[in-house]
Amino acid sequence: MANTPLMPKATAVWLVDNTSLSFDQIAAFCNLHPLEVKAIADGEAAQGIKGLDPIQTGQLTREEIERAQKSPSATLKLSVPKTRVPEAKRKGPRYTPVSRRQDRPNAIMWLVRNHPELKDAQIMRLVGTTKPTIEAIRERTHWNAANLTPSDPVTLGLCSQLELDLEVEKAARLALSPVEQPEEVATLLPVEDTTSEEAMAAASTKPAPKQPAEQEYAAAAVFAKLASLKKDKSDEDEGEGE
C-alpha cells in the first residue's frame, strides 16, 4: 500500500519499544491489527524481528511522533519522500491498452511529420508499434491512410512528455555528431599523389628512419660530446682561478 511504511512489523516493533503511542495509533500507521500490535508489545509476536527506526529511514519525523503522543486520537502521517526512485525500464515492446490502439496510427503520423529526425526504433518505443506500420504511414500506403489525423501521442496518453523529449534530444545529438565524414568535405581535402614521379622522387630523398641500434649510437655520441664540453668548461674555470 502507498500509505504503509517500509517493513511495517519492524517499524511497529520500534514504535512499541521507543514511543508512548497507543496500540491503535501504531496499528493504523503500520496497517496492522491492534491485537497484533499488543502481541508485539507482550513479546508474543515478532520476536525475531529487529526494530526499524522510521525516523532514520525518513518515514516519520520526531515532531510528528511527539504530536501524536500528545493526542491519543491523532494519527501518524507518513512523510513525503525527498527522493524519487526512477521507474524501472521496460523490457520488450510497450503495452498499449486496447482502447487506445486505434490511436497509434494518428500518433505515428504526428511523429513522422513533426519530428522527422526520430528513428523508427524510437517511434516504436514511444507508441509501441511495428516498423512495417511506420513505413506504411510514412509512404501513405496504410490501409486507413485517408482517415488518419496527426495527433500528439502525449495528448493521446500513449507516452509521457518526458519520454518524448528524451527521444527527440537523443535524435538531435545523433544528428549533430555524424559518424561518417561527408563526401563533400572529403573531396576538398588534399590528397597526396603517391604515384607521380615528383612524389616518388621526394620519397627517395627522405632519410630512412633510424634503427634502434643507430638511435642508441647517436644518443651515446651526443652524451659524449656534452661531457667533453663540460670538462673543457671546467678546465677553463680552473685556469681562471689560478
Side-chain angles (χ1 to χ4, degrees), residues 23-39:
F23 295 159
D24 292 335
Q25 288 175 309
I26 297 175
F29 179 71
C30 298
N31 195 31
L32 300 174
H33 195 278
L35 294 178
E36 189 173 3
V37 178
K38 183 179 183 301

Side-chain angles (χ1 to χ4, degrees), residues 95-116:
Y95 172 77
T96 304
V98 178
S99 59
R100 295 179 180 175
R101 291 180 184 179
Q102 60 183 359
D103 296 329
R104 285 188 296 193
N106 296 328
I108 296 172
M109 177 173 286
W110 187 92
L111 292 172
V112 169
R113 289 188 177 183
N114 292 276
H115 297 286

Side-chain angles (χ1 to χ4, degrees), residues 143-157:
W143 65 272
N144 197 27
N147 300 321
L148 295 182
T149 303
S151 301
D152 189 344
V154 177
T155 305
L156 295 174

Side-chain angles (χ1 to χ4, degrees), residues 166-183:
L166 289 176
E167 294 294 349
V168 172
E169 182 182 355
K170 181 179 179 180
R173 288 199 308 268
L174 293 175
L176 292 176
S177 57
V179 177
E180 296 182 358
Q181 186 180 12
E183 294 181 0

Side-chain angles (χ1 to χ4, degrees), residues 16 45 77 101 126 141 177 196 227-228 231:
V16 167
K77 294 182 180 179
R101 291 180 184 179
L126 287 172
T141 58
S177 57
S196 62
S228 176
K231 184 177 183 306

